Structures are given as structure tokens and as C-alpha cells.
Amino acid sequence: MFETIKKARQLGVIALERMSDYLELLKVSAEIQGQNFMRRIIGALVVALLAVLSLIFLGIAIIVTCWDTPYRVISAWGVAGTYALIAFGTYIASPGRTDSVSAFDTLRNELQQDVKLMKDVV
């Protein structure tokens, strides 16, 4: 019985020593996650802006090219329909691009290893 109490006390000391490591790892993981999120947001905004601008100018170019032909109305509706199809395709495809890897995986793995170590000691 005294041996179990001694082991529990040692585990408590180890857990308290590791607590500062866990907090530091949590802080670093949160910073990494925040930086990754900001990079993704900025990248997505730049890509979206340039894609919209290129589509607008492409549509204008197609309509202007067909302006003096009998296909002016058809080309305008074709450009509008193409924009709608691209918007729909982007909406359908966007949820599949999420990244499932988290920066907090390291913290979780460390906690699991320490819990396993504590179970082995007791």
C-alpha cells in the first residue's frame, strides 16, 4: 500500500513538471495553427480576387469579340451561364479541400504517451 502511495506521489511530481511543458506546447501549437489559418485565408482571398477579375475580363472579351455579329446575345448568355456553372462547381468542390491535420496533434500525442507511462508505472 505504501508502495502505491509512493508511486502515486512520484507520478504527481512528474505530472506537475510536465504541466509547464504542456502549456508551452499548447501555446506554440496555437501560434502555428493561427499562422496556418492566416496564410490560408490570405491565399484564398488573393486567388478568389484574381479568379473573379480574370473571369470578368474574359467574359467582356468574349462579348466584345461577338458584338458586331448575330451571336452577341447568345455569347452574353453563354458567358453568364458559364459563370453560373463555375460558381456552382466551386461551391460543390470547396468543402473537400479542408486540411484535417491539426497542430494540436503533437500535444495530444504527448499527453497520450504520458498517460500510458503513468499507467505502466502504477
Side-chain angles (χ1 to χ4, degrees), residues 54-83 86:
S54 67
L55 285 175
I56 288 171
F57 286 114
L58 178 66
I60 291 171
I62 290 171
I63 294 170
V64 167
T65 302
C66 298
W67 192 259
D68 289 330
T69 66
Y71 303 110
R72 175 178 23 177
V73 175
I74 294 172
S75 67
W77 280 107
V79 168
T82 303
Y83 286 168
I86 291 171

Side-chain angles (χ1 to χ4, degrees), residues 3-107:
E3 187 66 29
T4 304
I5 294 173
K6 184 178 178 182
K7 285 183 182 180
R9 191 177 289 164
Q10 289 173 345
L11 289 175
V13 169
I14 291 171
L16 287 176
E17 288 175 357
R18 296 281 292 175
M19 194 59 64
S20 64
D21 295 336
Y22 293 144
L23 292 175
E24 185 68 26
L25 188 57
L26 178 66
K27 186 173 96 171
V28 169
S29 296
E31 289 174 6
I32 290 170
Q33 193 75 3
Q35 289 174 354
N36 288 342
F37 180 72
M38 287 305 294
R39 275 192 218 124
R40 271 194 239 150
I41 292 295
I42 291 170
L45 288 175
V46 168
V47 168
L49 176 67
L50 293 175
V52 167
L53 287 174
S54 67
L55 285 175
I56 288 171
F57 286 114
L58 178 66
I60 291 171
I62 290 171
I63 294 170
V64 167
T65 302
C66 298
W67 192 259
D68 289 330
T69 66
Y71 303 110
R72 175 178 23 177
V73 175
I74 294 172
S75 67
W77 280 107
V79 168
T82 303
Y83 286 168
L85 286 174
I86 291 171
F88 180 72
T90 304
Y91 174 75
I92 295 298
S94 63
R97 296 185 320 145
T98 57
D99 190 14
S100 62
V101 177
S102 173
F104 296 105
D105 287 342
T106 306
L107 178 62

Side-chain angles (χ1 to χ4, degrees), residues 11 14-22 25 106-122:
L11 289 175
I14 291 171
L16 287 176
E17 288 175 357
R18 296 281 292 175
M19 194 59 64
S20 64
D21 295 336
Y22 293 144
L25 188 57
T106 306
L107 178 62
R108 186 183 67 233
N109 291 338
E110 287 292 322
L111 285 170
Q112 288 174 347
Q113 288 176 359
D114 287 346
V115 167
K116 182 180 176 187
L117 175 70
M118 289 181 189
K119 286 181 181 179
D120 290 342
V121 170
V122 174

